[in-house]
Amino acid sequence: MNKNLSLRIRIIIANIILIIIISVIMVFNTKDDQNNKKKDRIAITKNEIEFENKIPKSSNEEENDLEKKVSDNNLVMELNPSKVSKVEVIGTQICNESGCPIAIRGINIDLNSNYINYETMEFFKNNWKINGIKVSVDVTKENDSYNGKNSKEIKQKLSQVVQNAKKLDLFVMIEGDVLLDSPMEDVSKFYSECLQYVSGTSNMMFAIKLKTNEGLDPIDIKDYDEKTGIVKEVTKSDKISNNNWKKYKKLIKEIIFALRENSNNSLLAINIPYTHIKIDSIKKNEFNTYNIIFSVDVGNQDIENVEIAIKNFKKSVDFGTPIMISDCGMCGNSDKNEQLYASIREDIDHYKLTYFYGGINNKGEKNSILKKDLNKNSDFSEDDYTAVGKILYKYNK
């Protein structure tokens, strides 16, 4: 009896010891599995980050050093197209193929002016340190438009601008100025035909802008920021803005479809008429495509409107919406205008925005850089600049 009891006790103790040994082994195996999974997660995350930020190492040590300096100091690189194989929107900024932010500092040139020649562009590249130009093309059926009576001449001028910019190693943004009720076939044809300039180069970008705001209801500036703080409160100005945006977005989708033919992924800037559509209400992923940036004009606008624009484009960038300034100029040369422009330049530098200076044309507009009807196309002196042009040049030095 005692012998049987003793045997049973030994067996129970042995089983307990075996269970303890198995438990210890399982604990160590679990820790090993967790460590391995953690390593796998770290590797996957690293790969995702490298893919998302697109950071393949260049074989050029100087470029690697520059990109490291840019990354370490949160700066932007001022590059020309020959140094960039791809231009794309990542986050809120325009970046190169390595995911590093690049600065496009350009100037607007009127297609129907005397300034679409090589010499003018070269002067502004060397003296204003620009690395891009933006040229606006009227896509209506008026005489001096892409689809009008002088269509052949306009197309020749556009081709001249693009070729001169390529020779000078400048980025080019072709902006189509359209109407809300423009025939879709005319607008689509324009953008489809412009794709011929893209082949074999990274310097081409496109833009869309409403020539007039006809068909959109204006927002009362006094009601622009009328929210009382109630969560998700929809105001009168919100309703007007949302209705206008629906109309405009329909046209934009057609243009995106035309531009994305043949797998073309060129950058597209969508100009927002902020007196009719609230910039900060537009979501960064409004369209089922990428390489989209939204643009605003602050040149040739009343001070009150510009102040509204500044406040709201800053809010948009803070929300993660990519923004650029398509007309970075002034309307008049008063002290108030200059102070406002100085503030804009600070915001541009802070948010690292792409911008294009206001117009080079023969029209003598309020935001023109050059005086009206100059008999030269290069070697401009400060005497050839308008009062606005002199201020812009001062801040450009």
Side-chain angles (χ1 to χ4, degrees), residues 219 223-230 232-242 278:
I219 298 172
D223 295 335
Y224 210 94
D225 292 311
E226 61 187 6
K227 290 184 185 297
T228 61
I230 300 174
K232 293 185 179 179
E233 177 191 8
V234 178
T235 65
K236 178 183 176 182
S237 61
D238 288 332
K239 292 177 182 177
I240 294 172
S241 173
N242 292 339
K278 288 188 169 185

Side-chain angles (χ1 to χ4, degrees), residues 202-366:
S202 63
N203 76 326
M204 293 301 305
M205 300 174 288
F206 298 95
I208 171 177
K209 180 180 178 179
L210 290 176
K211 185 180 178 182
T212 72
N213 294 321
E214 189 174 342
L216 301 179
D217 297 319
I219 298 172
D220 188 336
I221 292 297
K222 295 177 182 177
D223 295 335
Y224 210 94
D225 292 311
E226 61 187 6
K227 290 184 185 297
T228 61
I230 300 174
V231 177
K232 293 185 179 179
E233 177 191 8
V234 178
T235 65
K236 178 183 176 182
S237 61
D238 288 332
K239 292 177 182 177
I240 294 172
S241 173
N242 292 339
N243 188 48
N244 288 340
W245 179 232
K246 285 180 183 178
K247 295 177 185 177
Y248 190 19
K249 193 156 68 168
K250 183 180 178 182
L251 177 64
I252 294 168
K253 286 181 176 179
E254 292 289 337
I255 292 171
I256 290 174
F257 180 79
L259 272 178
R260 294 300 185 243
E261 286 182 336
N262 303 316
S263 301
N264 176 268
N265 291 314
S266 297
L267 182 146
L268 174 64
I270 300 169
N271 185 265
I272 304 300
Y274 54 82
T275 54
H276 294 70
I277 297 172
K278 288 188 169 185
I279 313 163
D280 58 327
S281 68
I282 296 174
K283 300 173 184 176
K284 60 181 177 180
N285 298 318
E286 284 278 0
F287 303 97
N288 188 27
T289 184
Y290 81 111
N291 237 4
I292 299 289
I293 193 168
F294 300 96
S295 69
V296 293
D297 295 347
V298 295
N300 217 13
Q301 296 282 343
D302 294 335
I303 287 177
E304 189 178 17
N305 290 343
V306 174
E307 289 173 334
I308 288 287
I310 295 170
K311 182 178 179 180
N312 284 274
F313 84 61
K314 288 164 63 176
K315 193 187 299 183
S316 296
V317 178
D318 289 336
F319 285 160
T321 303
I323 299 287
M324 59 166 270
I325 310 298
S326 48
D327 182 351
C328 180
M330 298 165 50
C331 182
N333 64 324
S334 68
D335 290 341
K336 175 73 172 176
N337 275 296
E338 183 172 351
Q339 290 169 10
L340 190 58
Y341 179 72
S343 172
I344 292 169
R345 286 301 302 267
E346 286 181 7
D347 292 329
I348 285 173
D349 293 339
H350 174 72
Y351 288 103
K352 304 174 182 62
L353 304 181
T354 280
Y355 65 89
F356 293 84
Y357 287 112
I360 302 177
N361 55 51
N362 304 104
K363 300 175 182 177
E365 294 177 339
K366 290 181 180 179

